[in-house]
Amino acid sequence: MSFSLLSVTFKALCRRWIASLLLVAVAAAGTVSAFVLNGLISRQEEALENTKKNTVISCVVTDYSGSSSGNLSMLSAFVEMLTGKRRERDCFLDDYVKNVRAMAGTPLLSPENHALRRILSIDSDPLLDPINGVSVEFYEGYSEEVLQGREMVCIVAPDMVTENGYIIVSPDENTEAEIKIVGILNGGPTGIIYCPFFMPFEEEISVAFYVNTCSFDIKDNTKLKESKDYIYEFFVVPDVMNKNDGLTFGVLVQDETYHKSLGEINSNLTMLRIMLPVLMIICGCIGFFAGFLMTKGRIREFATMRCIGMKKMQIFFLVIGELLFLAAFGMLLGGGIGFIIEGNLSPKAISDSAIITAVYIIGTAIAALRIVRINIMKLSNKEE
Amino acid sequence: MNIFLKQSRRKPIFTIFMIILLCLSLTLSLIGFSAYTSMQKQFNDINGDYTTIAVLQESIPEGTGNAFGENFLELAKREFEAFEKAQKAPMLKKEEARVYLTAHVPGSVSLSSSRIDPSELNQPYFDDDMYSLCVFAVECKSVEETVFLDMISYDAKLEVIEVISLSSAYDWYPEITEVSLSSMDYNADGSIPIKAGSKYLIYGSYGEYYTMPIIESFRDVESTDGKKMYSFGEGYMQLRGEFGTRTIEPAAALSDIGLYNGHRISGEKDGLTYYYSLEDQLPWIAEYTGTVDEFLESEEGKVWKEEIIPLCRKNQEGALVALTDNLDSIYPFSVGSSFILEGRKFNEKEYSGEKNVCLISSDYAMINGFEVGDKITLDLYSSGILWLESGARDNSAVYTGEQGGFMIRVPIRPKNSINLCKEFEIVGIYSTPRFSFGPTSFDADHIIIPKKSVPNAEQYLGTYYQDFTSFILENGTIDEFEQYMSEQGYPDMFIYNDQGFSEMEETLLALEANAKRMMTLGMSVFALITALFLFLNFRRMMPVIRGVRLLGKNAGRTRNEVFAVLFMEETISVIIGTVLAAVLYNSVTSAMLSETIALDFKNLLSAAAALLGILGILSFMLSGILSNVKLMKRK
């Protein structure tokens, strides 16, 4: 009996193929919606995290007022703080900043008409910007990292390379140092000898000097506020009202675009988060009404079933069975499409799609219940 | 009575539920559409905050030794060709060339290098020849003529009687008592225009960058062939002519590049060559007797009082004006070495020239006491600028060596006025290195205004078009552009900066993908529910359609009646769906205080009208097809 009933039901489903297809499509649409809507948020969140991680937020050290970022006349101790050389004095700025770029110029008595520039990296001096057609070639065994150390080495223009590979410099009458040439500046400025920022003229003797320019990047953008707070314990927010005591320097954090972009994306995420349940409810409602209306339209069919002796509950379960079959098929189909679109099967999407399908089945069940509860005579009358 | 309407009314629950179903799908679609438009707007907004530029890299080696050799010519030609190829790149969004004008800012003081601590940069060229124009009353103490090869020049020692006009930038200098004059400017007959023991007014360019103050005689000169020229004391300096423009072969133009070897008016005296200025020019020297005031009141002094001294003052109150359509396309602003310190950048309206606004540097603001919101008057001149490719050597305590190309300010001259004088509101103050070198240098004496503030600004592009051009690329196309240039045979010629767009790109792509998904989802659900709506409606109506057709009602009338009922239901659904979508979307987004994701009601209405149109067309077509049922072939 039950087998023949299932067979009849299946035949009926096939015969009403358009209606069956639409019901499958409605169930599939609900599942796809759940997948897509859940994917929107996770995709956006993941991309946002990557952006936060990868975006470079530059900070420029300026004078107290912010009017100048060149010729700062800032003591080199500030750069020591930024590069973690003052941790023993409870300054942990290097925990919050990275890629410190600093340049300090020292006039030289000898060679005549030459200057020494202390740099922490090649990009510490705008004159070495590739836009100027400059390229730096380090000798074997040396790299840009040497500029962060204290070795007595230098980079010079090709015409300054000496036979013994050393150059003698003299910043004042009492000091003379022999510096090893470890690289060549091609297409760069002439008359400038570039050396490691912290290079002493005599070994084991640290010197303090004035820094011309300094900039750095934020180490961890997710801790931007914390980083800024800590930076401003040592520097100030540039303002003409600041005290010009020669020891006050500003830091301008160039995070305006970053904040603006992040603000937009965060508002978008918030919108999606609030919108998601609303859209889920709408999808559920659509499923409910679709199921209800499709089932309600089969009243003639149910009347015939009752006339040939089928019980109310039998018809009810038959309808639910049909719908479960179509819904399951639709859910699988929708899940497949959702997986193709989103590329993953998130548990949240699966549970949401199950809820939408359940709402859809409830709609069908209510319609079926309403129909089967009607008196057989009324059903017949309706048929007439 | 429309029988289909009656049918609908007889089964109200079915009809209401159908309307609700359609209405919900419309709500979903319209929310999807609103979210799509919001996300698109956000995408465009964020995308618009980033400017990707490609700037021609300097490939000509520094140093005058190389500047005019064959290698230089080849490299310059290659740069020129690469520039032309880049202009045709498919991923090029805009070619942004900065225009330079000069302005007289009445009542202001110029940001002369002499005004700044000379230990930072006492680079004389930054003051020449605009900010350092002066008029001195002097007494000549001695004159000495010098012969160099076949040319003659003279040096004069002058005692300063009175400084008649000089920029206040020099006020802090020790009192000027003596100046020297080195000149090749002779009288037309070859005589030296100055002699010991006489008193003179001298109009020239002042500099205190050598051990002895020096004054270079200055004369405003227009050459006979119409080329712009001006005297520089040591000879005639000619602007670089057509080099850099696209109208001639660069190789031919390069022969004309010599900065100090341009057109000269030469004479010969005892087999030696001397130079003299054209007639009808402003005099640079005038002998006088009595007092300076008496001379200035005389007929001969009239030109000094009414033209030369006011002209000096104009130049001392001058500034360079950079005109741009996109501040972020200027390399230092793009990479962040120049940045807005206070106020803001220009907005779109300002770029379109609706409002006269400007940006000034913090240094310029400080010395003049300007603040954001203040208005300054700019009287604009197309004086041109002079770009020295290399050879700059300053004498400051900190810097030395050859630093790269730099800009020389050409003086304001009445004939170069573009007859445009108006007030500009300061909307932002930027910070930049006060004086810089290299092809992308941007000094603090620049006042930046939107290009559209000046009608037909492009006509003032000048000869350095190539040096001041940034190619604005579509964001995210740096690799494509470089590949295109490589295919054209010019790899590694450009430097790029995208202001961090590449880091933001992933998020933007996700945003764009989400927008598309929302839209697709909304439209798919709409399409599905529309199919369901029409299917269920026609399943219910078909027996009635057949009935009325059997009773003799013609197909057209039946179609119209069916369509009327369907369209009515659809209209009700669209109205309710639109209101519901607007209310839901607005209540969600209004709390977020973001303009970009706020509900755009106009767009929503347009979308709703479009959906109603689609529904109407589909209903009409299906009503027509199904009303035309073959009565004899169907039970």
Side-chain angles (χ1 to χ4, degrees):
Chain A
M1 168 70 185
S2 65
F3 176 76
S4 63
L5 196 61
L6 282 176
S7 164
V8 168
T9 306
F10 185 71
K11 277 181 185 167
L13 283 177
C14 293
R15 186 169 45 80
R16 293 182 281 106
W17 66 272
I18 296 178
S20 303
L21 207 63
L22 281 169
L23 281 169
V24 169
V26 169
T31 308
V32 172
S33 302
F35 270 77
V36 169
L37 292 173
N38 275 292
L40 297 180
I41 293 179
S42 58
R43 189 179 311 104
Q44 198 78 19
E45 279 174 339
E46 195 183 327
L48 190 64
E49 281 312 306
N50 285 339
T51 299
K52 278 184 187 170
K53 206 167 80 181
N54 299 331
T55 300
V56 178
I57 298 179
S58 290
C59 306
V60 182
V61 180
T62 68
D63 61 7
Y64 72 100
S65 65
S67 65
S68 177
S69 54
N71 200 42
L72 291 171
S73 295
M74 178 177 79
L75 277 171
S76 52
F78 282 94
V79 180
E80 287 177 9
M81 290 196 286
L82 288 165
T83 49
K85 290 183 168 54
R86 298 226 160 194
R87 292 183 74 90
E88 72 279 5
R89 296 187 195 184
D90 293 335
C91 175
F92 304 105
L93 272 169
D94 58 314
D95 286 344
Y96 297 94
V97 307
K98 62 177 182 182
N99 302 335
V100 182
R101 300 167 287 272
M103 191 261 286
T106 309
L108 292 174
L109 285 182
S110 163
E112 211 178 332
N113 284 331
H114 282 68
L116 189 79
R117 280 194 188 178
R118 298 168 177 275
I119 50 172
L120 266 174
S121 56
I122 297 298
D123 58 358
S124 292
D125 186 354
L127 279 180
L128 302 182
D129 192 319
I131 192 82
N132 296 324
V134 181
S135 65
V136 181
E137 200 184 314
F138 282 95
Y139 291 168
E140 206 178 328
Y142 291 94
S143 67
E144 195 179 345
E145 275 179 27
V146 76
L147 298 170
Q148 288 167 16
R150 290 167 55 89
E151 274 186 81
M152 294 187 67
V153 294
C154 67
I155 312 162
V156 293
D159 61 346
M160 292 172 71
V161 175
T162 56
E163 273 184 18
N164 67 355
Y166 284 85
I167 192 162
I168 295 169
V169 300
S170 175
D172 55 59
E173 286 168 356
N174 304 317
T175 314
E176 194 175 270
E178 195 178 45
I179 308 177
K180 188 180 180 187
I181 299 168
V182 296
I184 295 175
L185 281 174
N186 294 312
T190 58
I192 299 176
I193 299 162
Y194 287 95
C195 70
F197 189 81
F198 293 110
M199 185 192 83
F201 280 107
E202 286 175 50
E203 283 194 26
E204 305 305 322
I205 297 176
S206 292
V207 286
F209 48 87
Y210 287 115
V211 178
N212 298 96
T213 60
C214 182
S215 63
F216 52 84
D217 302 330
I218 296 289
K219 198 175 219 170
D220 183 357
N221 295 340
T222 57
K223 291 181 189 165
L224 181 58
K225 194 181 173 304
E226 197 186 324
S227 304
K228 281 167 86 170
D229 289 345
Y230 194 70
I231 289 166
Y232 288 130
E233 283 182 25
F234 301 91
F235 294 90
V236 296
V237 179
D239 192 326
V240 283
M241 301 304 284
N242 289 331
K243 196 175 155 191
N244 182 15
D245 57 3
L247 289 170
T248 303
F249 294 93
V251 164
L252 202 97
V253 183
Q254 296 177 326
D255 57 354
E256 196 187 340
T257 309
Y258 172 78
H259 275 309
K260 198 181 162 206
S261 304
L262 244 57
E264 286 289 350
I265 291 159
N266 276 326
S267 68
N268 177 269
L269 260 174
T270 315
M271 180 193 79
L272 285 177
R273 284 195 188 109
I274 301 173
M275 200 63 89
L276 187 65
V278 176
L279 295 176
M280 288 294 187
I281 291 167
I282 293 174
C283 285
C285 290
I286 289 172
F288 176 88
F289 285 109
F292 183 90
L293 290 167
M294 290 292 274
T295 311
K296 204 168 185 303
R298 292 169 62 193
I299 197 161
R300 188 169 45 176
E301 220 176 287
F302 297 149
T304 312
M305 287 178 183
R306 289 293 306 279
C307 289
I308 60 170
M310 278 181 76
K311 291 187 175 146
K312 286 180 185 177
M313 288 319 286
Q314 267 182 311
I315 296 171
F316 177 74
F317 283 117
L318 185 72
V319 173
I320 290 296
E322 262 182 47
L323 256 296
L324 276 176
F325 173 73
L326 293 176
F329 187 63
M331 206 174 147
L332 276 176
L333 186 69
I337 297 169
F339 180 74
I340 291 167
I341 296 172
E342 294 300 323
N344 60 45
L345 282 173
S346 81
K348 179 82 171 56
I350 294 170
S351 65
D352 282 347
S353 63
I355 292 168
I356 290 174
T357 312
V359 174
Y360 161 60
I361 290 167
I362 290 168
T364 313
I366 291 171
L369 214 56
R370 272 175 60 89
I371 294 165
V372 295
R373 281 176 64 192
I374 296 172
N375 188 288
I376 184 76
M377 292 311 289
K378 280 185 182 173
L379 278 177
S380 305
N381 287 342
K382 274 187 184 290
E383 173 55 14
E384 283 157 17
Chain B
M1 179 69 185
N2 184 333
I3 194 161
F4 300 101
L5 184 63
K6 197 171 181 180
Q7 188 190 20
S8 299
R9 285 168 62 189
R10 281 185 64 187
K11 291 180 179 175
I13 293 178
F14 184 90
T15 309
I16 290 167
F17 275 27
M18 288 292 279
I19 290 172
I20 292 174
L21 178 67
L22 188 61
C23 162
L24 286 172
S25 81
L26 281 159
T27 305
L28 185 74
S29 309
L30 291 173
I31 287 177
F33 175 77
S34 295
Y36 169 79
T37 51
S38 298
M39 287 180 187
Q40 277 295 339
K41 216 189 282 180
Q42 279 185 316
F43 177 86
N44 293 335
D45 258 33
I46 297 171
N47 199 21
D49 284 339
Y50 295 86
T51 304
T52 302
I53 57 164
V55 182
L56 200 57
Q57 188 177 354
E58 182 73 35
S59 59
I60 299 166
E62 292 299 344
T64 46
N66 298 317
F68 304 106
E70 272 180 33
N71 191 32
F72 172 85
L73 296 179
E74 207 170 284
L75 290 169
K77 187 167 180 257
R78 193 168 161 72
E79 272 188 11
F80 182 81
E81 287 166 355
F83 188 88
E84 280 202 322
K85 293 289 179 195
Q87 287 176 314
K88 292 169 192 154
M91 56 296 294
L92 180 66
K93 202 169 153 190
K94 201 179 172 206
E95 189 183 328
E96 168 58 14
R98 285 202 306 282
V99 174
Y100 274 100
L101 293 175
T102 327
H104 171 222
V105 190
S108 74
V109 287
S110 60
L111 188 68
S112 145
S113 66
S114 305
R115 197 179 297 281
I116 306 298
D117 179 1
S119 71
E120 179 182 345
L121 188 85
N122 187 14
Q123 167 55 264
Y125 295 113
F126 281 106
D127 281 12
D128 286 342
D129 290 310
M130 191 169 160
Y131 308 140
S132 57
L133 277 192
C134 64
V135 175
F136 281 11
V138 296
E139 184 179 334
C140 181
K141 291 294 175 191
S142 66
V143 183
E144 194 179 325
E145 195 164 41
T146 315
V147 178
F148 179 70
L149 299 176
D150 62 338
M151 291 180 289
I152 46 173
S153 62
Y154 55 88
D155 296 305
K157 302 286 177 210
L158 311 168
E159 187 182 288
V160 177
I161 300 169
E162 188 182 343
V163 175
I164 296 168
S165 181
L166 181 67
S167 166
S168 59
Y170 303 91
D171 283 356
W172 64 279
Y173 278 38
E175 190 187 353
I176 303 163
T177 54
E178 196 180 54
V179 292
S180 67
L181 169 73
S182 296
S183 181
M184 293 175 80
D185 268 336
Y186 280 74
N187 291 323
D189 60 4
S191 60
I192 297 173
I194 189 165
K195 62 177 186 287
S198 298
K199 291 193 286 186
Y200 299 92
L201 284 195
I202 291 187
Y203 162 42
S205 170
Y206 176 78
E208 188 138 5
Y209 32 85
Y210 301 118
T211 48
M212 179 71 81
I214 186 167
I215 185 163
E216 292 173 333
S217 60
F218 180 87
R219 182 170 285 199
D220 204 18
V221 175
E222 181 81 50
S223 78
T224 46
D225 62 2
K227 286 194 176 179
K228 285 180 280 184
M229 295 168 62
Y230 63 95
S231 155
F232 193 62
E234 296 174 4
Y236 296 104
M237 184 181 286
Q238 186 197 11
L239 295 179
R240 284 205 303 176
E242 294 84 356
F243 176 65
T245 68
R246 290 164 289 171
T247 52
I248 60 159
E249 285 293 317
L254 290 173
S255 62
D256 216 8
I257 198 171
L259 291 168
Y260 294 87
N261 301 309
H263 294 246
R264 291 174 173 179
I265 303 153
S266 61
E268 205 175 292
K269 185 173 77 172
D270 305 328
L272 296 167
T273 306
Y274 67 92
Y275 299 97
Y276 65 95
S277 303
L278 294 166
E279 288 178 5
D280 302 327
Q281 302 301 317
L282 290 175
W284 68 271
I285 189 163
E287 191 176 349
Y288 75 95
T289 51
T291 66
V292 173
D293 288 341
E294 283 167 0
F295 173 74
L296 291 175
E297 293 305 322
S298 69
E299 190 56 35
E300 200 190 343
K302 200 175 168 188
V303 66
W304 288 81
K305 188 183 175 186
E306 293 178 4
E307 291 186 49
I308 295 172
I309 295 170
L311 186 59
C312 279
R313 194 172 304 122
K314 269 191 180 178
N315 279 282
Q316 291 156 15
E317 295 176 347
L320 277 190
V321 181
L323 286 76
T324 183
D325 276 335
N326 187 335
L327 187 72
D328 290 323
S329 71
I330 302 171
Y331 189 76
F333 281 94
S334 177
V335 297
S337 58
S338 303
F339 47 87
I340 297 292
L341 189 67
E342 201 184 325
R344 57 170 178 80
K345 295 176 183 175
F346 301 134
N347 58 35
E348 271 180 36
K349 276 188 178 176
E350 289 159 353
Y351 275 124
S352 68
E354 275 187 30
K355 218 176 155 194
N356 294 321
V357 289
C358 68
L359 298 170
I360 58 170
S361 76
S362 50
D363 289 296
Y364 191 70
M366 253 182 176
I367 61 163
N368 282 291
F370 292 144
E371 289 176 2
V372 172
D374 286 354
K375 288 188 174 173
I376 55 173
T377 302
L378 302 184
D379 183 10
L380 296 165
Y381 291 80
S382 169
S383 305
I385 48 153
L386 198 64
W387 183 258
L388 289 185
E389 283 292 350
S390 58
R393 184 179 286 272
D394 66 77
N395 63 344
S396 75
V398 177
Y399 300 96
T400 187
E402 289 185 354
Q403 311 269 339
F406 69 98
M407 199 184 284
I408 286 182
R409 284 82 177 137
V410 178
I412 290 170
R413 287 171 290 183
K415 65 186 172 198
N416 291 331
S417 171
I418 64 167
N419 299 313
L420 191 75
C421 179
K422 50 186 180 180
E423 271 194 336
F424 287 79
E425 185 188 340
I426 300 166
V427 293
I429 292 174
Y430 67 90
S431 179
T432 193
R434 286 165 183 153
F435 308 105
S436 52
F437 294 91
T440 56
S441 59
F442 197 87
D443 303 323
D445 65 341
H446 291 23
I447 296 173
I448 309 169
I449 64 172
K451 215 187 268 181
K452 295 273 190 317
S453 308
V454 174
N456 303 317
E458 278 75 12
Q459 66 180 301
Y460 308 114
L461 268 175
T463 50
Y464 303 107
Y465 178 80
Q466 190 174 307
D467 292 311
F468 302 132
T469 295
S470 298
F471 292 101
I472 301 176
L473 307 180
E474 295 288 349
N475 285 330
T477 60
I478 288 176
D479 291 340
E480 284 172 50
F481 181 81
E482 183 55 41
Q483 195 187 336
Y484 165 82
M485 290 306 295
S486 299
E487 284 165 7
Q488 304 298 315
Y490 301 95
D492 305 322
M493 299 272 303
F494 284 86
I495 289 288
Y496 306 96
N497 190 270
D498 66 2
Q499 300 189 300
F501 177 82
S502 44
E503 287 91 17
M504 188 56 75
E505 195 171 15
E506 189 188 345
T507 309
L508 281 178
L509 288 175
L511 193 69
E512 194 181 30
N514 277 355
K516 283 179 184 160
R517 278 180 167 84
M518 284 289 274
M519 185 72 173
T520 311
L521 178 70
M523 288 303 116
S524 306
V525 171
F526 169 74
L528 177 64
I529 299 305
T530 300
L532 193 65
F533 172 83
L534 293 171
F535 171 78
L536 290 173
N537 262 311
F538 281 111
R539 188 170 78 173
R540 185 175 60 155
M541 286 176 171
M542 269 319 287
V544 186
I545 292 171
R546 186 175 160 76
V548 294
R549 286 296 317 282
L550 285 170
L551 287 171
K553 193 175 270 185
N554 70 37
R557 207 171 148 199
T558 309
R559 179 199 63 204
N560 290 346
E561 285 183 3
V562 171
F563 173 69
V565 173
L566 287 176
F567 195 66
M568 183 193 70
E569 288 179 10
E570 287 160 359
T571 308
I572 294 169
S573 300
V574 168
I575 291 168
I576 299 171
T578 308
V579 172
L580 198 60
V583 169
L584 280 172
Y585 190 81
N586 200 40
S587 61
V588 168
T589 56
S590 59
M592 274 170 263
L593 300 172
S594 170
E595 275 182 29
T596 43
I597 58 167
L599 175 71
D600 186 339
F601 201 67
K602 205 175 158 186
N603 257 342
L604 187 78
L605 280 182
S606 311
L611 292 180
L612 182 62
I614 293 168
L615 282 168
I617 291 167
L618 281 173
S619 302
F620 188 77
M621 282 167 62
L622 282 171
S623 301
I625 294 165
L626 296 172
S627 300
N628 208 12
V629 61
K630 307 287 180 208
L631 296 172
M632 299 304 290
K633 287 186 180 174
R634 204 184 151 117
K635 286 182 183 176

